[in-house]
Amino acid sequence: MTPEMNSFGQRIGPVVSHWKEPDWPLQDPMHGNDCVLEAIHPVRHADDLFASNRLDAQGTNWTYLPYGPFDSLNEFRDWIDQNCLSRDPLFFAIVDSRTNDAVGVASYLDIKPANGSIEIGHLNFSPKLQRTRAATEAMFLMMSRAFDSGYRRLQWKCNALNTSSRSSAQRLGLSYEGTFRQATVSKGRNRDTAWYAAIDSEWPSLKLAFQTWLNPTNFDETGQQRVSLSELTAPVLKQRG
């Protein structure tokens, strides 16, 4: 969006026209081919999620999250009860369509309809979900709902030392916007926070990239991708970091 000039010769932002403040995001199920995102529930999902996360025997998935790992199912269920049933963050369990097992967690957070801004975070993909088509499809479903609901900006923030999360954000087509130094204290340690985002004008190109990548014809008989999502989203990225 090109800045405009006011009567004082100062550059100002363009008028935001033909845009309506979106509603709060729905927590209705999001259905894909390989996964379904459901409103997280301690009875429906806790057992599956706890068992799936136990496959990460060393607990490395929890390193950059401000909570976990959890030593018992009761402790994990209590955490869901106390932290995952609010409107913001708005949590979903990622359920494998083939097995009907909950294998990961994701949420919307920092939801600001007045600005058209929303974030995806609290991502925890168990070993059952990591590096699968379902993992990518889950992010596509969340991005689709956000932009289709009328949000103008979708952001992703992560610990600046979390190289895996930073790579994932850019693979999904979110551009690097900078790093906030000493942004928070997490588990008693300093956290610098790296920011990434995509905006609504980029969504049509990103949507096509996801649809191309997820198409069954993009995978050979052994399940290997023919073209990577990173290749497809690279033209949309404004900055890497």
Side-chain angles (χ1 to χ4, degrees):
M1 299 179 75
T2 305
E4 299 175 359
M5 198 79 70
N6 68 9
S7 59
F8 305 109
Q10 299 166 312
R11 299 207 315 165
I12 55 175
V15 173
V16 178
S17 59
H18 308 294
W19 177 76
K20 178 183 176 182
E21 179 179 326
D23 294 329
W24 202 264
L26 297 174
Q27 208 175 14
D28 295 349
M30 292 180 258
H31 294 272
N33 292 319
D34 297 298
C35 69
V36 179
L37 275 69
E38 302 174 347
I40 196 168
H41 193 280
V43 174
R44 163 76 176 91
H45 302 116
D47 288 34
D48 285 351
L49 288 170
F50 185 75
S52 297
N53 284 320
R54 295 289 277 186
L55 297 176
D56 171 30
Q58 295 181 317
T60 56
N61 281 358
W62 304 97
T63 298
Y64 297 110
L65 290 168
Y67 42 77
F70 300 95
D71 294 327
S72 70
L73 174 58
N74 285 338
E75 183 184 359
F76 181 60
R77 189 179 287 122
D78 287 344
W79 175 79
I80 293 177
D81 275 328
Q82 296 167 17
N83 298 278
C84 301
L85 306 181
S86 66
R87 294 180 75 230
D88 188 352
L90 192 67
F91 270 88
F92 294 85
I94 303 169
V95 178
D96 188 313
S97 295
R98 297 166 302 169
T99 65
N100 206 34
D101 291 338
V103 292
V105 167
S107 78
Y108 294 123
L109 67 156
D110 198 15
I111 304 166
K112 298 177 179 177
N115 295 324
S117 176
I118 194 168
E119 181 177 336
I120 290 177
H122 291 289
L123 301 177
N124 189 6
F125 292 0
S126 77
K128 288 185 178 180
L129 182 60
Q130 293 168 9
R131 299 184 179 279
T132 65
R133 290 197 343 160
T136 298
E137 185 179 55
M139 295 297 93
F140 172 58
L141 292 171
M142 292 197 72
M143 292 174 72
S144 293
R145 174 162 290 181
F147 284 119
D148 292 348
S149 297
Y151 284 85
R152 305 170 61 233
R153 168 184 170 83
L154 184 139
Q155 63 188 29
W156 172 301
K157 302 199 297 283
C158 62
N159 190 311
L161 300 177
N162 189 348
T163 55
S164 177
S165 184
R166 298 182 72 153
S167 296
S168 295
Q170 292 172 102
R171 174 178 176 267
L172 298 176
L174 284 76
S175 298
Y176 175 63
E177 295 186 333
T179 296
F180 284 22
R181 300 174 298 161
Q182 297 187 182
T184 62
V185 176
S186 179
K187 294 180 176 175
R189 295 181 180 274
N190 176 68
R191 170 175 148 157
D192 295 351
T193 296
W195 287 60
Y196 298 83
I199 58 175
D200 54 358
S201 61
E202 298 163 349
W203 177 236
S205 295
L206 291 177
K207 183 176 183 179
L208 179 60
F210 277 102
Q211 291 172 331
T212 301
W213 189 84
L214 289 167
N215 192 302
T217 61
N218 187 43
F219 297 86
D220 64 21
E221 61 277 3
T222 67
Q224 295 299 308
Q225 63 183 0
R226 301 182 191 278
V227 59
S228 71
L229 184 60
S230 295
E231 292 177 72
L232 295 167
T233 59
V236 182
L237 293 180
K238 299 299 183 288
Q239 181 172 299
R240 294 182 178 272

